[in-house]
Amino acid sequence: MNIALIAHDAKKELMVQFCIAYCGILSRHNLFATGATGKMVAEATGLEIVCFLGGAQGGAQQIAARIGCDEIDLVLLFRDPLNPKPHEPDEKVLLRLCDVHNIPVATNIATAELLVRGLERGDLDWRDIVRPGPSF
């Protein structure tokens, strides 16, 4: 599974700690991240991560493009809701694309833990996810 990691500055350390805690699960998947987040996580965990540009420099847009091409299966986006960012419109596009393509997305650690534990149990097998829309 292809997993994208994105964290606002105030949440980068939380993302690092999260990835340390779930390193065993994450190591079995392909990881992609915005610049600084990916570098920090890779240095702390030894995980192999494909790093894009920083979020403000277009990294979120690069990940959004991969979502649009069905190349990302899960997004962990640790946001700082109390401090708006100038590149927030990029994140809104990313979140909208997750909705359009039925990509599970977590914007906080509680949801991220549920998704990663579900991933470990096999509940989030990408072959079972129907894209680009719901099947009825």
Side-chain angles (χ1 to χ4, degrees), residues 3-133:
I3 302 172
L5 307 173
I6 306 165
H8 287 172
D9 290 345
K11 301 292 182 171
K12 287 191 188 323
E13 186 57 36
L14 180 63
M15 178 65 81
V16 168
Q17 294 303 317
F18 177 85
C19 291
I20 289 170
Y22 292 102
C23 189
I25 298 167
L26 295 173
S27 67
R28 296 189 296 267
H29 301 279
N30 302 313
L31 303 178
F32 302 85
T34 51
T37 300
K39 183 179 179 197
M40 289 176 69
V41 170
E43 288 174 357
T45 64
L47 290 168
E48 187 174 319
I49 301 173
V50 174
C51 293
F52 295 115
L53 296 172
Q57 288 79 42
Q61 290 175 337
Q62 289 177 300
I63 290 173
R66 289 197 173 230
I67 290 168
C69 294
D70 289 329
E71 296 174 4
I72 297 291
D73 304 303
L74 176 70
V75 175
L76 304 179
L77 166 59
F78 287 6
R79 302 187 318 153
D80 178 7
L82 302 178
N83 296 306
K85 305 291 179 243
H87 56 280
E88 242 177 57
D90 297 335
E91 290 174 3
K92 288 182 181 180
V93 169
L94 188 143
L95 292 171
R96 184 172 61 245
L97 284 169
C98 287
D99 288 341
V100 168
H101 293 272
N102 290 320
I103 304 296
V105 59
T107 59
N108 58 61
I109 192 165
T111 308
E113 287 184 342
L114 289 171
L115 289 177
V116 170
R117 288 179 183 182
L119 184 64
E120 181 181 32
R121 288 190 312 268
D123 296 344
L124 294 176
D125 188 345
W126 66 267
R127 291 172 292 272
D128 294 335
I129 298 173
V130 178
R131 287 188 244 163

